[in-house]
Amino acid sequence: IELFRNEELNLEQLSAFTVSDDHAEQERVWNSLAGSCSRQAHNIRTALTEQAIRSSDKRIRFIGGFEAYEAAGGAVKRDLFDDHNQGFALDAALVDALVDAKLQETADAVTAEGWAWVETARELPHHRLSEFTRVYPVEIEPSEEVAAEIARLEDERERLSVVIETGQAEDDDEAEAALDRIASEIDALSVEAYQPSDLERAGAIVGIDYYGKLEVWRGLVRREASGLMPVAGGNADTKPTTGKAPALHSAVLIEDLTAQKTAAIRAELAQNTHVALASVVHALLLQTVLTHASDCTCLEIRLTSQPIGNSMKNPEGNLALEALAVLRERFGDQVPGEPAAIFAWCLERTQDELLELLAFACAQSVNAVQDKYDFRKQARVHADKLAAALNLDMRNYFEATAESYFKHLSRDGIEVAITEAKGKDFADGIARMKKAEAAAYAENAIKGTGWLPSPLRTAGVVSMGAGDNVECDGFDNEVLCEAAE
């Protein structure tokens, strides 16, 4: 407090120290972070909670949040100035024990499926994929009765499709609902299962994905069990096993010949637009739909997809993420589950189908997130141009409510926002309200106007209300110009 009074540290730094009530530890951290660059609030908070686990940690999300952790007797330390009341779990051993117990519960159920082995992992072992090959479920031949029922449903689906396409249906919504119901019934009757011989040699890993959700990888076969050895970086053609004929080609000759083959493939591919498009789509699908098989392509095209859910305060309620999930499920159902079959499947698609798949895969790489470091200014300029080319209207995906926006502003910020959206008369009195009252008032005030916070607007155009867009260039409202900038 004395340092704060002497302006040797700011309020943000002072607030960071409230995450701990151990004064000796506070002084140790302050002295260890000598230098103004190191003594940022984030560094102070991190140093004071080195052994603690944040509420945003995927392990906490996996076990059901702090409620489950505290119900098990875990202690939580919260920052006095944390608006979201998130805090830190102090008992890392208890967190790991709760994670292991939940993973083991699923592992027991997976073991009952008949796998030769089942492992649990707090982190999904992407780095271990080279240790395994993979087996996949096959479609089970239906009984005569089931086959007859599937045939009947297929005939009915075909009949309804013709009725809808020719406009003969009295009620399109009812006919389409019947069509969806029939598709669900056919899916339910079409059964896939792993072959008993595969179950005897394959296993599964139960783990946690990037977002803290349970994921099970089934059908993993250790390479030694499949007769294949892990890739060690050497060239198999130059290292014959005992008892086999010596290698015919040296490593240098193999490199030369395959370089010539690569050049020939490039020359032919450059002149075959359909195969080129199918090849690009194939490479991208392996990185978006079947991520465990991303190395099953010779194209050195790499798609980077930034996980954006962690940057959102409420990803579960985001309409855009829901739309993407629907698309992912749709394309995931269409794409073969076996990596080796995907390329042939892509070659069989029409150009329109390939372009649709390309758009889906391409979309996963978009990143217009502005973090606190903001190193990607030029990329965000392009993101605005992309949004304009798409005629993006964020009002279809976002509405400013107390929960989604206003409760995250200060009262002054709420007053500025309402002044901009509705005028100064509507903003009078906000300064005298409590924060929660001001947020609720703001939600009611702008409801139905279509007003958007400035970070959601496309550069150069400011949304004023439902259907109203005002160009930033040349208008007089200083608040709006500043927001647009």
Side-chain angles (χ1 to χ4, degrees):
I1 292 175
E2 183 179 350
L3 289 172
F4 175 66
R5 287 171 177 163
N6 294 334
E7 297 184 355
E8 295 180 49
L9 81 166
N10 58 38
L11 182 59
E12 189 178 5
Q13 291 170 307
L14 186 66
S15 301
F17 279 110
T18 66
V19 77
S20 172
D21 54 9
D22 185 335
H23 295 293
E25 180 67 5
Q26 291 175 357
E27 291 182 6
R28 184 195 69 78
V29 167
W30 179 254
N31 292 328
S32 69
L33 296 175
S36 58
C37 292
S38 300
R39 286 174 170 170
Q40 298 174 1
H42 171 76
N43 294 338
I44 293 170
R45 192 175 288 106
T46 299
L48 287 169
T49 57
E50 285 179 333
Q51 305 303 318
I53 301 175
R54 291 179 177 272
S55 63
S56 58
D57 190 286
K58 67 180 181 181
R59 290 170 293 174
I60 298 296
R61 297 199 299 271
F62 176 69
I63 64 175
F66 275 162
E67 289 184 6
Y69 166 73
E70 290 181 288
V76 175
K77 181 65 179 179
R78 291 184 168 89
D79 185 334
L80 295 180
F81 295 88
D82 181 2
D83 290 340
H84 310 300
N85 200 31
Q86 293 176 335
F88 302 84
L90 300 180
D91 193 339
L94 176 59
V95 172
D96 287 340
L98 293 172
V99 168
D100 291 343
K102 190 170 181 178
L103 287 173
Q104 190 58 49
E105 183 180 345
T106 300
D108 292 342
V110 174
T111 301
E113 297 173 8
W115 296 104
W117 56 270
V118 176
E119 294 181 7
T120 61
R122 295 173 195 156
E123 296 274 349
L124 280 176
H126 297 276
H127 62 285
R128 289 181 53 200
L129 286 180
S130 62
E131 299 176 18
F132 304 100
T133 57
R134 197 119 185 227
V135 295
Y136 298 89
V138 296
E139 190 169 343
I140 302 299
E141 188 71 27
S143 64
E144 291 184 7
E145 294 80 2
V146 173
E149 178 62 12
I150 291 175
R152 186 191 69 78
L153 290 169
E154 291 281 9
D155 290 342
E156 179 63 13
R157 178 162 66 178
E158 181 66 24
R159 186 190 68 79
L160 277 174
S161 298
V162 172
V163 168
I164 293 172
E165 289 175 7
T166 56
Q168 299 175 26
E170 294 182 5
D171 188 335
D172 283 345
D173 290 340
E174 186 176 331
E176 289 179 2
L179 203 60
D180 291 339
R181 185 178 66 254
I182 289 172
S184 298
E185 291 177 6
I186 292 175
D187 287 341
L189 292 172
S190 302
V191 179
E192 286 188 341
Y194 289 90
Q195 296 180 350
S197 58
D198 287 336
L199 289 172
E200 291 174 2
R201 65 194 182 101
I205 296 179
V206 179
I208 310 173
D209 71 7
Y210 184 88
Y211 299 100
K213 295 181 180 178
L214 180 72
E215 186 167 339
V216 180
W217 286 10
R218 292 176 173 84
L220 301 176
V221 183
R222 293 188 174 98
R223 285 184 173 267
E224 59 268 26
S226 64
L228 298 173
M229 294 307 294
V231 177
N235 191 308
D237 203 7
T238 63
K239 298 182 180 180
T241 57
T242 304
K244 293 188 177 181
L248 177 62
H249 306 112
S250 69
V252 174
L253 179 56
I254 288 175
E255 183 177 349
D256 171 75
L257 294 174
T258 52
Q260 295 187 54
K261 182 180 180 180
T262 299
I265 293 173
R266 289 180 180 181
E268 291 295 321
L269 188 62
Q271 302 174 70
N272 192 320
T273 56
H274 180 77
V275 175
L277 178 58
S279 300
V280 171
V281 170
H282 168 244
L284 295 181
L285 288 178
L286 291 176
Q287 299 173 64
T288 53
V289 178
L290 270 74
T291 53
H292 63 275
S294 59
D295 59 345
C296 295
T297 173
C298 66
L299 270 65
E300 293 185 330
I301 294 176
R302 291 292 173 262
L303 182 145
T304 301
S305 183
Q306 179 72 19
I308 55 176
N310 290 344
S311 297
M312 299 182 186
K313 297 183 181 297
N314 182 27
E316 293 80 9
N318 183 268
L319 296 178
L321 287 183
E322 290 178 9
L324 286 171
V326 170
L327 285 173
R328 180 176 293 277
E329 184 174 352
R330 169 189 161 194
F331 289 116
D333 288 340
Q334 293 178 10
V335 177
E338 188 172 355
I342 296 182
F343 183 58
W345 180 84
C346 286
L347 289 174
E348 294 169 357
R349 301 305 100 197
T350 65
Q351 180 169 314
D352 287 344
E353 289 173 319
L354 288 173
L355 289 173
E356 189 176 22
L357 289 162
L358 179 63
F360 164 73
C362 167
Q364 312 308 308
S365 68
V366 172
N367 183 4
V369 176
Q370 179 180 344
D371 59 20
K372 61 183 177 182
Y373 303 108
D374 196 19
F375 293 139
R376 305 180 70 255
K377 290 185 173 67
Q378 293 303 316
R380 289 192 296 102
V381 170
H382 175 254
D384 273 342
K385 293 179 180 178
L386 180 58
L390 293 167
N391 293 320
L392 174 66
D393 188 345
M394 276 301 299
R395 291 172 293 189
N396 294 329
Y397 296 95
F398 180 89
E399 182 180 9
T401 64
E403 184 66 27
S404 70
Y405 181 64
F406 290 111
K407 79 172 190 178
H408 306 295
L409 300 179
S410 65
R411 276 181 301 183
D412 289 344
I414 295 174
E415 186 174 353
V416 170
I418 295 304
T419 299
E420 175 187 316
K422 297 286 289 184
K424 186 169 177 57
D425 291 344
F426 277 84
D428 284 345
I430 287 179
R432 296 187 295 275
M433 298 178 186
K434 293 183 178 179
K435 173 73 173 291
E437 292 174 348
Y441 171 80
E443 176 178 335
N444 290 330
I446 65 109
K447 191 174 183 64
T449 65
W451 178 87
L452 291 171
S454 57
L456 293 181
R457 304 169 189 158
T458 299
V461 177
V462 178
S463 176
M464 291 294 296
D468 297 323
N469 289 320
V470 176
E471 293 295 332
C472 182
D473 294 336
F475 62 74
D476 296 328
N477 190 317
E478 293 180 2
V479 174
L480 288 179
C481 283
E482 182 180 351
E485 291 171 0

